[in-house]
């Protein structure tokens, strides 16, 4: 493995994160090749962006650092079929999420450096912040350090995408994986969605107009989240009314109580002991029938019909920057198409 601060990099995958990483690294002076399945949907995009595009096997074989930026559920087969047979001895293998390594779906070859660099934001934001001279905060970790230089490689990559501009935090594959899954399940996606739906249902069942309930339980959530994002809970208290503050301080624990925290601990335990990972892997391998049914239930919840109608009159939404969507499992490439 070269000791240069700018190793030859292969980006495998060209979705939201893959494209942002590739563009930022190139602009930082790294030699970047993109590995994609010929004829795949992102091949033309990568070529239009000016990258040399090779088959995944060819890109991996010519790289000193291989960044695996495909969806979680296709990475194990991708590693087994493409990366392990072709990656150079002593190269560095990089992930943006520790799921597969932490849960034993990928056991990296013993001669490789294995690191993680995870920006705390979607690809579009990673790119946009880099372009204006800033960066999205990132965490990094080292799983195997065979060269004695793995941490520096992770930091160099992190710097190349702009993350080191915000003082990257060292973590572990275990901590990154388990906290990321917990945040998604208990708070950001699972918890927030169920809270919004339950609040809306409570108001509608009590006879209030669905449209008014939508504004109070979903639409205005953005106002509070933006305050959290800008300055934490302190900033929220600076900008909401005293009535809202008193209600929040005295009634919030009605909803998030000891039982809620006990359920959160259950979520965390199932992440820590591998229950969630085993269930998700089995679900994916069996065709995602349960996942698709559960997702359809969310999409068909009555709040969605109300929201669609109300948002049609929110003209500012059509001009607002759109976040890069995470890959939908229902439309993710099959394992043999993992690098599309």
């Amino acid at each position: 493995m070269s000791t240069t601060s700018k190793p030859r990099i292969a980006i495998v995958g060209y979705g939201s994160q893959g494209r942002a990483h590739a563009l930022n690294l190139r602009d930082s002076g790294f030699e970047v090749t993109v590995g994609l399945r010929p004829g795949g949907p992102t091949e033309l995009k990568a070529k239009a962006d000016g990258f040399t595009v090779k088959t995944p096997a060819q890109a991996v074989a010519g790289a000193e650092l291989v960044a695996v930026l495909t969806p979680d559920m296709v990475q194990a087969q991708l590693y087994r079929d493409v990366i392990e047979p072709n990656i150079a001895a002593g190269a560095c293998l990089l992930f943006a999420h520790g799921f597969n390594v932490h849960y034993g779906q990928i056991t990296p070859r013993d001669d490789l450096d294995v690191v993680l660099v995870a920006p705390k934001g979607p690809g579009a934001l990673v790119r946009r912040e880099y372009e204006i001279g800033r960066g999205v905060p990132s965490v990094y970790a080292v799983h195997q350090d065979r060269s004695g230089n793995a941490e520096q490689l992770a930091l160099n990559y992190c710097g190349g995408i702009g993350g080191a501009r915000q003082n990257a935090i060292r973590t572990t594959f275990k901590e990154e994986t388990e906290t990321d899954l917990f945040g998604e399940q208990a708070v950001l996606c699972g918890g927030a969605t169920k809270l919004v739906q339950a609040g809306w249902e409570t108001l509608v069942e009590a006879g209030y107009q669905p449209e008014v309930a939508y504004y109070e339980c979903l639409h205005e959530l953005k106002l509070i989240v933006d305050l959290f994002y800008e300055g934490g809970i302190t900033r929220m208290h600076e900008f909401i009314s005293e009535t809202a503050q008193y209600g929040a301080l005295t009634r919030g624990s009605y909803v998030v109580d000891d039982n809620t925290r006990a359920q959160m601990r259950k979520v965390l335990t199932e992440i820590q002991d591998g229950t969630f990972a085993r269930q998700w892997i089995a679900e994916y391998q069996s065709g995602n029938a349960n996942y698709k049914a559960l997702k359809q239930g969310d999409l068909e919840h009555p709040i969605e019909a109300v929201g669609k109608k109300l948002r049609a009159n929110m003209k500012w939404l059509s001009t607002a920057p759109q976040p890069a969507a995470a890959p939908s499992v229902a439309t993710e490439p099959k394992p043999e198409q993992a690098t599309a």
Side-chain angles (χ1 to χ4, degrees):
M1 176 70 197
S2 170
T3 58
T4 177
S5 62
K6 294 185 176 179
R8 295 188 308 276
I9 295 176
I11 300 289
V12 184
Y14 204 70
S16 170
Q17 289 290 342
R19 182 172 187 267
H21 288 214
L23 290 168
N24 290 4
L25 289 163
R26 184 177 65 185
D27 289 351
S28 294
F30 288 80
E31 180 184 339
V32 178
T33 299
V34 178
L36 297 172
R37 176 174 55 89
T42 51
E43 182 185 23
L44 289 178
K45 179 183 289 187
K47 286 183 175 179
D49 286 337
F51 286 104
T52 298
V53 179
K54 298 181 179 180
T55 67
Q58 291 170 333
V60 166
E64 296 173 294
L65 185 153
V66 175
V68 184
L69 300 177
T70 57
D72 290 335
M73 290 299 103
V74 301
Q75 288 183 8
Q77 184 171 343
L78 173 67
Y79 177 78
R80 184 171 59 250
D81 295 349
V82 176
I83 295 175
E84 188 171 56
N86 292 287
I87 190 169
C92 181
L93 184 62
L94 180 145
F95 297 88
H97 181 38
F99 184 97
N100 283 291
V101 171
H102 178 57
Y103 290 116
Q105 298 306 294
I106 294 175
T107 302
R109 215 172 61 202
D110 191 60
D111 63 284
L112 303 174
D113 285 343
V114 182
V115 302
L116 176 149
V117 173
K120 307 313 290 180
L125 183 65
V126 171
R127 178 58 178 164
R128 188 163 66 247
E129 286 294 290
Y130 179 93
E131 288 182 301
I132 61 177
R134 300 186 306 212
V136 171
S138 299
V139 298
Y140 74 97
V142 176
H143 177 71
Q144 285 184 183
D145 183 8
R146 297 298 180 252
S147 69
N149 198 41
E151 181 173 14
Q152 191 58 52
L153 285 166
L155 286 171
N156 290 343
Y157 185 99
C158 190
I161 64 172
R165 295 170 177 172
Q166 298 297 330
N167 296 322
I169 297 172
R170 178 156 181 165
T171 183
T172 64
F173 274 61
K174 171 180 165 55
E175 183 176 63
E176 186 277 334
T177 301
E178 293 178 356
T179 57
D180 185 80
L181 293 175
F182 178 82
E184 292 169 349
Q185 294 172 26
V187 181
L188 305 176
C189 305
T193 297
K194 292 305 179 186
L195 182 66
V196 165
Q197 290 173 340
W200 183 85
E201 290 166 0
T202 299
L203 288 177
V204 173
E205 288 167 3
Y208 298 101
Q209 294 181 72
E211 293 81 3
V212 175
Y214 176 88
Y215 283 129
E216 295 302 330
C217 294
L218 190 153
H219 177 79
E220 292 189 17
L221 182 62
K222 181 185 185 316
L223 307 179
I224 302 304
V225 170
D226 283 351
L227 293 173
F228 283 165
Y229 187 77
E230 293 165 6
I233 295 170
T234 298
R235 189 163 180 83
M236 181 199 73
H237 280 297
E238 291 173 354
F239 281 85
I240 64 175
S241 70
E242 290 181 336
T243 302
Q245 290 180 59
Y246 180 74
L249 293 167
T250 61
R251 267 59 176 182
S253 59
Y254 286 14
V255 179
V256 180
D257 58 8
D258 289 342
N259 180 66
T260 308
R261 283 188 284 274
Q263 293 299 96
M264 285 186 168
R265 286 191 288 271
K266 180 180 179 181
V267 169
L268 182 56
T269 297
E270 291 186 354
I271 290 169
Q272 292 172 327
D273 67 16
T275 299
F276 168 76
R278 289 190 296 273
Q279 289 177 346
W280 175 214
I281 292 165
E283 172 73 21
Y284 184 86
Q285 291 176 344
S286 67
N288 287 318
N290 184 55
Y291 158 82
K292 291 174 183 176
L294 291 171
K295 181 177 177 180
Q296 196 61 33
D298 259 4
L299 299 179
E300 294 177 355
H301 190 282
I303 197 174
E304 289 302 287
V306 174
K308 184 176 181 180
K309 181 178 70 174
L310 293 176
R311 290 191 298 271
N313 293 317
M314 300 179 192
K315 304 304 181 186
W316 64 89
L317 293 179
S318 63
T319 59
Q322 298 300 305
S328 168
V329 175
T331 58
E332 276 181 1
K334 293 182 173 62
E336 66 272 16
Q337 300 172 329
T339 55

